Amino acid sequence: MSYEIYIDDMLLPLPPEKIPVKYNGQNQTVSLINGEEINLIKPSGLADISLDIIIPQMDYPCAVWDGSIDNAEGFLERLGQLKKSKRPFEFIIIRQGPSGESLFDTSMDVTLEEYQVSDDVGEGLDVKVSLSMKEYKHYGTKIMNFTIVDDKQETDSSQDGTKRQGEPQTQKNYTVTKGDCLWSISKKQLGNGNRWQEIYQLNQDKIKNPNLIYPGQVLIIP
């Protein structure tokens, strides 16, 4: 199995021996009043990636240089730029099977948290870089607009005659004529026959049976 590792758009000439990616959790264990422990499940945390990288300074047949960087000095310069830029970048792992077939890839936005450069006698002239990255999730803010209403004006009528919020509803009277029923009165007076129950509720002192009303009765209309 082989790997291609990209940090931003830089292909690492030698893939690291290990690629640990830690997927963190944020669950919280709390104790109830009876001493029992429960686990509060929360959204997953940000992943952590730690790499030990060798940047060769000698000609290795296995090293792959694609032109994104030319040497260790160029790699370290780019790392410094990523750190100073305070911006996220892409971390990519491309996996290939023993026969060269493509396997699943890993791609995530990350930030460079810290890195350490070591000149190790065991590595000869090559430069060893240990770096840590953290997953980055894009976010944004939402702007909400609020309107402050003057309580003193809530009971005033607007210029077009409509009532402001908080003003008591006005009522009017209606005299029952021959052929009327609560549904027809509601249709004529309120524009919706299904509101007949509102009329009935306001006039229960006059109407014992909503199916029986009589001409001459004066009803309150909401």
Side-chain angles (χ1 to χ4, degrees):
M1 186 173 179
S2 62
Y3 298 88
E4 288 184 1
I5 311 296
Y6 287 87
I7 296 177
D8 199 11
D9 60 350
M10 297 183 292
L11 172 65
L12 299 183
L14 292 175
E17 294 182 1
K18 296 184 294 184
I19 311 173
V21 179
K22 181 182 178 183
Y23 295 93
N24 297 302
Q26 298 188 103
N27 294 348
Q28 182 179 1
T29 301
V30 298
S31 297
L32 302 180
I33 194 170
N34 62 0
E36 181 182 1
E37 285 189 335
I38 62 172
N39 193 18
L40 300 180
I41 300 177
K42 297 185 177 182
S44 60
L46 301 174
D48 291 314
I49 305 103
S50 300
L51 297 179
D52 290 326
I53 300 168
I54 300 297
I55 304 298
Q57 301 241 70
M58 300 178 63
D59 187 15
Y60 294 103
C62 58
V64 178
W65 302 88
D66 68 343
S68 55
I69 54 174
D70 297 322
N71 49 42
E73 183 180 4
F75 178 71
L76 296 178
E77 182 179 347
R78 290 288 301 278
L79 281 185
Q81 292 173 355
L82 288 175
K83 187 63 177 172
K84 291 179 181 179
S85 68
K86 300 179 181 180
R87 66 171 179 85
F89 54 91
E90 198 168 13
F91 172 65
I92 300 174
I93 305 173
I94 299 176
R95 299 173 176 85
Q96 290 184 331
S99 301
E101 71 275 17
S102 295
L103 304 177
F104 73 98
D105 298 337
T106 297
S107 176
M108 69 173 68
D109 288 335
V110 298
T111 54
L112 179 59
E113 298 300 298
E114 61 182 14
Y115 65 95
Q116 177 179 325
V117 182
S118 302
D119 289 306
D120 191 337
V121 174
E123 302 297 340
L125 298 176
D126 300 331
V127 174
K128 181 179 179 181
V129 182
S130 299
L131 56 85
S132 63
M133 298 175 288
K134 184 177 287 290
E135 181 183 10
Y136 178 85
K137 291 186 178 180
H138 296 270
Y139 62 92
T141 57
K142 181 182 290 186
I143 299 175
M144 301 181 68
N145 296 319
F146 296 90
T147 301
I148 300 176
V149 179
D150 188 348
D151 293 339
K152 295 181 180 179
Q153 297 179 359
E154 284 188 354
T155 57
D156 295 339
S157 297
S158 61
Q159 294 181 356
D160 60 2
T162 60
K163 301 297 180 182
R164 295 184 182 273
Q165 183 180 3
E167 182 176 6
Q169 291 185 346
T170 59
Q171 298 174 343
K172 59 183 179 180
N173 294 332
Y174 175 81
T175 303
V176 179
T177 60
K178 185 177 181 180
D180 278 342
C181 65
L182 291 183
W183 192 94
S184 63
I185 296 172
S186 178
K187 178 67 175 176
K188 286 189 296 182
Q189 299 297 316
L190 304 178
N192 184 352
N194 293 324
R195 295 182 62 187
W196 67 268
Q197 293 186 14
E198 298 178 34
I199 301 176
Y200 173 62
Q201 294 293 332
L202 286 174
N203 296 275
Q204 287 188 4
D205 59 329
K206 307 180 186 72
I207 305 173
K208 304 305 181 186
N209 185 338
N211 295 317
L212 297 175
I213 59 174
Y214 305 96
Q217 283 182 302
V218 180
L219 305 180
I220 300 174
I221 305 298

